[in-house]
Amino acid sequence: MVRAAVLPAVGSPLEITGIVLPEPGPGQVRVRLAAAGVCHSDLSLSNGTMRVPVPAVLGHEGAGTVVSVGEGVDHVAPGDGVVLNWAPSCGSCHHCAIGEVWLCAHALTGTANVYTVTEDGRELHPGLNVAAFAEETVVAAGCVLPVPDGVPLTDAALLGCAVLTGYGAVHHSARVRAGESVAVFGVGGVGLATIQAARVAGASTIVAVDVSPEKEALARAAGATEYVVASDTTAKEIRKLSGGQGADVAVECVGRATTIRTAWDSTRRGGRTTVVGIGGKDQQVSFNALEIFHWGRTLSGCVYGNSRPAEDLPVLAEHIRAGRMDLSALVTERITLDGIPGAFDNMLAGKGGRALVVF
């Protein structure tokens, strides 16, 4: 019996309750969580913006220690530190075959499975495969990757989503080059990771944008050279801060139509706008045909940072060991399982960076 945060139904409050966790079967791994990040995607799953089978244990950004492994698992062993990978690639679908593993057609099929039950017998699904909002979890072997040397286990939780997404948005999707200007919309966990990644890439000007004036210190500590409080004149301010042309790259980490449109308007002619934020179907963004031609900008979506986790984690670890990236700087609140609803409230209010559940 372990404690977990259960979503009983879409739109319902989380329940902190006991679950009866089974031993791992063939091709499975049992992990004792050290920490789990509270991501905006968890909030989106709980309120129905993103679909998830329920009841479910949410949480998809985590790290911990292997407790036991099932038959056929040989890449990790009991006692190993691991990062949870919520989007394991199958290796055989069309996208995997052409190297786009972040778009794997079967990455989320595990969410439909029943993986355990509550103490009163209700069947539970693993939210985004890994069910990290629990003291322990049982996952498919493909959902665990060894923690790189030199990365503290608690900090490593952030590698599972925020850091891979922010780093990948900069290095894989937008392909930021040294000397370019970058505007980052949204200074939450992913936004802070994006700012750090832009600094690592050698961006000359990094403009952070958020609705909260209180986040300026966080943004500048991550590497932002400028800070803009979001308003109707945001695009004009960014153009002024980037030589009058607009940013070479804009990365939107919010998932709102107005923010996506502003990020596009803030990008220079011929620049790149990358959308990381996950918005609802009601968030409609409009462009006219003439402006698409005239501005020559690229607008692209970005799933999980377009990352290959097994290849990217060692690269990120080197940046961390060298002091170029600081995972702990993304965390503004350390909480217990009972603090997750409050962390959701803070996200809705636009407060803080990443909340980290520490077990």
Side-chain angles (χ1 to χ4, degrees):
M1 186 81 69
V2 300
R3 294 177 77 238
V6 173
L7 177 69
V10 172
S12 296
L14 293 180
E15 299 175 356
I16 310 302
T17 187
I19 64 173
V20 182
L21 204 61
E23 287 303 310
Q28 292 185 321
V29 179
R30 182 165 177 157
V31 178
R32 180 179 300 114
L33 272 296
V38 183
C39 179
H40 204 282
S41 295
D42 297 309
L43 177 60
S44 295
L45 290 167
S46 72
N47 64 24
T49 299
M50 297 168 61
R51 296 178 63 184
V52 63
V54 290
V57 175
L58 298 184
H60 62 280
E61 178 183 270
T65 302
V66 175
V67 175
S68 54
V69 301
E71 181 182 351
V73 178
D74 56 13
H75 72 296
V76 294
D80 288 351
V82 292
V83 177
L84 297 180
N85 173 20
W86 62 269
S89 55
C90 71
S92 58
C93 71
H94 170 74
H95 288 289
C96 287
I98 62 175
E100 297 175 348
V101 298
W102 56 91
L103 297 178
C104 174
H106 305 295
L108 295 179
T109 56
T111 62
N113 298 333
V114 171
Y115 87 116
T116 192
V117 295
T118 62
E119 56 186 340
D120 59 4
R122 287 175 292 163
E123 293 183 333
L124 292 172
H125 298 275
L128 290 187
N129 287 319
V130 297
F133 288 167
E135 293 169 333
E136 295 187 16
T137 187
V138 173
V139 300
C143 290
V144 296
L145 296 167
V147 171
D149 292 341
V151 180
L153 193 56
T154 301
D155 288 352
L158 301 170
L159 292 172
C161 184
V163 177
L164 274 173
T165 300
Y167 175 85
V170 168
H171 291 269
H172 300 319
S173 180
R175 299 181 184 273
V176 174
R177 299 181 290 266
E180 289 192 312
S181 56
V182 178
V184 179
F185 289 77
V187 184
V190 173
L192 289 168
T194 302
I195 292 168
Q196 287 200 25
R199 176 172 47 77
V200 169
S204 59
T205 301
I206 304 173
V207 184
V209 182
D210 199 277
V211 295
S212 171
E214 287 75 24
K215 289 189 179 183
E216 180 171 0
L218 273 176
R220 290 191 180 275
T225 60
E226 310 289 345
Y227 191 81
V228 172
V229 177
S231 70
D232 292 341
T233 62
T234 294
K236 184 181 295 186
E237 291 180 64
I238 290 174
R239 285 195 294 271
K240 185 183 298 183
L241 292 169
S242 51
Q245 298 299 313
D248 295 300
V249 170
V251 182
E252 200 273 359
C253 305
V254 181
R256 292 185 186 142
T258 54
T259 317
I260 294 169
R261 179 68 221 203
T262 303
W264 165 270
D265 289 338
S266 301
T267 308
R268 69 166 174 83
R269 193 176 189 190
R272 290 99 70 200
T273 305
T274 292
V275 178
V276 174
I278 301 172
K281 292 180 180 179
D282 61 324
Q283 296 291 310
Q284 299 291 317
V285 188
S286 297
F287 306 92
N288 67 60
L290 181 59
E291 70 173 312
I292 291 173
F293 160 77
H294 172 76
W295 289 104
R297 298 165 175 149
T298 300
L299 176 68
S300 61
C302 180
V303 178
Y304 203 9
N306 294 7
S307 293
R308 298 177 176 86
E311 298 174 21
D312 287 336
L313 286 184
V315 176
L316 285 165
E318 181 55 37
H319 288 310
I320 294 164
R321 288 192 294 265
R324 291 186 289 269
M325 297 191 76
D326 179 7
L327 302 191
S328 63
L330 275 60
V331 178
T332 54
E333 187 180 18
R334 294 175 186 268
I335 60 175
T336 65
L337 280 173
D338 302 272
I340 296 174
F344 281 0
D345 290 340
N346 285 339
M347 279 192 287
L348 284 170
K351 296 179 180 178
R354 202 44 133 219
L356 190 69
V357 180
V358 179
F359 295 92

